[in-house]
Amino acid sequence: MSEDFYRIRRLPPYVIAEVNAMRAAARAGGEDIIDLGMGNPDLPPPPHVIAKLAEVAAKPDAHGYSASKGIPGIRRAQAGYYARRFGVTLCPETEVVMTMGSKEGLASLATAITAPGDVVLAPNPSYPIHTFGFIIAGATIRSVPTTPDENYWRALDRAMVFTVPRPSLLIVNYPSNPTAETVDLAFYERLVAWAKANKVWVLSDLAYSELYFDGQPTRSILEVPGAKDVAVEFTSMSKTYSMAGWRVGFAVGNKQLIAALTRVKSYLDYGAFTPIQAAACAALNGPQDIVETNRALYHKRRDVLVEAFGRAGWDIPVPRASMFCWAPLPPALAHLGSLEFSKQLLTHAGVAVAPGVGYGEEGEGFVRIAMVENEQRLRQAARNVRKYLLSMGVNTPAQAAG
Ligand SMILES: Cc1ncc(COP(=O)(O)O)c(C=O)c1O
């Protein structure tokens, strides 16, 4: 009996799992680990949403199979969100599908539209499903940069000239996980024109649509006139409403892609539990103060983290969006590499971060720090980091100044 499974062979060991296992072992041993590793919100959803979940779950007829593509109300609610937030009109019947988290949506769409040997353009570094969703579906990945500068456009053009078969689709994800980089509408305008000229589908992952700082709202690719001809966009309720465990996401946009995703999903699942769908409607249609509150809270955490880690001797670029800092290793410790550095931080500082190499080879030299603990814990993390850096001979700025 062969255990050489084709798809499993194509999935390398999950680097981030190594650090996760160490963190779990340390915690099991009674250590207090400040966990800035996973992008798992530490906040609850709004009370009215939880109340709606309980109310609908109490109904005897709410426990059967639900609608795979989402009940009509949730698709209308998502169309309402796009209309109010981005000024984009969507048909809830043909241009919106609910997914069980955007991760499932991306993976199912990959299954629906990818044939073995297709070439997919994906950013490196990237959130793992952007590559592995397509690798599982049999595709070949050609990496393009994550940073949206001129080099990015050169890489796209080169990919079209030098890749056989020609790439069939491109993944974009801004605000980026892991780099937290953002784009403006001009980027999407150029992208839509490029995709049309090159006959390439665009899949935009907008999981961090509402976590933007400094008063610069995140834009949607669908704001570009004609974007629906070539693009779909994924959004998630996981971060916006702190509902990560609920598994609620959406794909919207191009009718052909939405139909393909809806079709595959109809074979794979029966949709999210109806009370979850009803409560997700309440979140999208109800008061939105939680969105503003969460944004302000992550903003504050960002400022605390960057300032406290800076004072500890570790300069971290200020992210303009998302719930992550993408931090270059302190130069004196760059030789350790991101995995070993993350392990040392866990062991000697009690702080868990995600090694950049887990997001692709271009992530080496960085770690991703998630702002998922409160300000006090972030300050404590910075103090622990400071002791560790001092033990490694890295001076704080105050010491360096004399
Ligand atoms: C960029 C990005 N896309 C998608 C997801 C998955 O989100 P969901 O919970 O909707 O599956 C994440 C989760 O961290 C993410 O960072």
Side-chain angles (χ1 to χ4, degrees):
M1 217 156 27
S2 169
E3 289 180 16
D4 190 18
F5 304 122
Y6 168 73
R7 287 194 169 73
I8 301 303
R9 227 189 308 136
R10 303 187 77 205
L11 298 178
Y14 200 46
V15 175
I16 297 163
E18 255 190 73
V19 183
N20 288 348
M22 281 179 68
R23 183 200 55 208
R27 278 199 166 150
E31 281 177 54
D32 175 26
I33 301 296
I34 301 175
D35 190 358
L36 313 179
M38 205 177 170
N40 198 5
D42 57 321
L43 310 159
H48 73 276
V49 175
I50 296 173
K52 182 55 109 180
L53 176 73
E55 176 198 319
V56 181
K59 295 185 179 169
D61 62 351
H63 297 267
Y65 294 123
S66 196
S68 164
K69 64 179 182 179
I71 56 177
I74 189 83
R75 286 180 280 112
R76 279 198 300 273
Q78 175 68 352
Y81 164 68
Y82 262 79
R84 113 182 140 246
R85 172 67 167 82
F86 301 114
V88 170
T89 306
L90 295 168
C91 166
E93 264 314 300
T94 57
E95 295 178 331
V96 179
V97 60
M98 183 186 184
T99 61
M100 291 160 88
S102 55
K103 190 177 186 186
E104 180 272 324
L106 280 154
S108 294
L109 184 58
T111 307
I113 64 173
T114 312
D118 283 359
V119 178
V120 168
L121 302 176
N124 190 333
S126 73
Y127 179 60
I129 201 71
H130 297 155
T131 47
F132 289 107
F134 293 90
I135 286 173
I136 291 168
T140 300
I141 301 294
R142 176 161 172 139
S143 294
V144 294
T146 304
T147 303
D149 58 12
E150 280 309 312
N151 195 30
Y152 177 81
W153 298 104
R154 272 195 293 277
L156 290 193
D157 286 338
R158 283 176 66 89
M160 297 319 290
V161 173
F162 291 108
T163 320
V164 178
R166 279 166 72 83
S168 52
L169 66 96
L170 165 71
I171 320 288
V172 291
N173 167 222
Y174 301 104
S176 161
N177 177 6
T179 71
E181 286 163 304
T182 57
V183 292
D184 56 15
L185 194 60
F187 172 89
Y188 286 133
E189 284 165 351
R190 188 167 168 185
L191 189 63
V192 168
W194 182 89
K196 287 188 176 183
N198 288 282
K199 299 191 167 36
V200 169
W201 294 116
V202 179
L203 275 48
S204 166
D205 179 346
L206 195 60
Y208 299 95
S209 56
E210 301 310 322
L211 291 186
Y212 57 82
F213 314 128
D214 310 318
Q216 304 229 28
T218 300
R219 308 303 294 256
S220 157
I221 191 172
L222 297 182
E223 290 180 65
V224 179
K228 277 191 223 168
D229 297 340
V230 289
V232 287
E233 190 157 73
F234 291 85
T235 58
S236 171
M237 300 194 62
S238 297
K239 321 286 165 148
T240 307
Y241 298 97
S242 300
M243 289 166 61
W246 292 48
R247 315 307 302 126
V248 182
F250 298 92
V252 305
N254 179 271
K255 284 189 173 77
Q256 286 76 27
L257 293 180
I258 295 298
L261 172 55
T262 306
R263 180 104 182 257
V264 159
K265 280 179 62 58
S266 74
Y267 282 82
L268 290 177
D269 67 64
Y270 290 109
F273 184 39
T274 303
I276 285 184
Q277 298 200 33
C281 282
L284 283 170
N285 294 335
Q288 298 298 306
D289 31 325
I290 180 82
V291 180
E292 189 64 43
T293 306
N294 279 354
R295 183 182 304 131
L297 188 128
Y298 284 110
H299 191 155
K300 188 74 207 304
R301 286 181 179 180
R302 175 199 75 171
D303 292 346
V304 166
L305 194 152
V306 170
E307 192 268 332
F309 278 55
R311 263 192 294 119
W314 188 1
D315 282 330
I316 294 179
V318 181
R320 292 162 66 185
S322 86
M323 57 202 294
F324 306 112
C325 291
W326 183 237
L329 268 53
L333 302 178
H335 62 278
L336 293 177
S338 63
L339 181 58
E340 178 57 26
F341 177 72
S342 303
K343 287 179 177 174
Q344 293 206 7
L345 219 49
L346 186 72
T347 310
H348 303 299
V351 176
V353 298
V357 70
Y359 301 90
E361 64 179 283
E362 299 299 333
E364 185 48 280
F366 293 81
V367 293
R368 194 196 71 177
I369 308 175
M371 302 182 263
V372 290
E373 296 244 25
N374 66 33
E375 288 168 37
Q376 196 195 337
R377 298 272 288 169
L378 292 176
R379 288 203 174 89
Q380 181 61 51
R383 284 192 291 273
N384 296 1
V385 163
R386 179 173 177 205
K387 280 192 209 131
Y388 162 68
L389 292 180
L390 283 174
S391 76
M392 298 296 282
V394 179
N395 284 336
T396 63
Q399 287 169 321

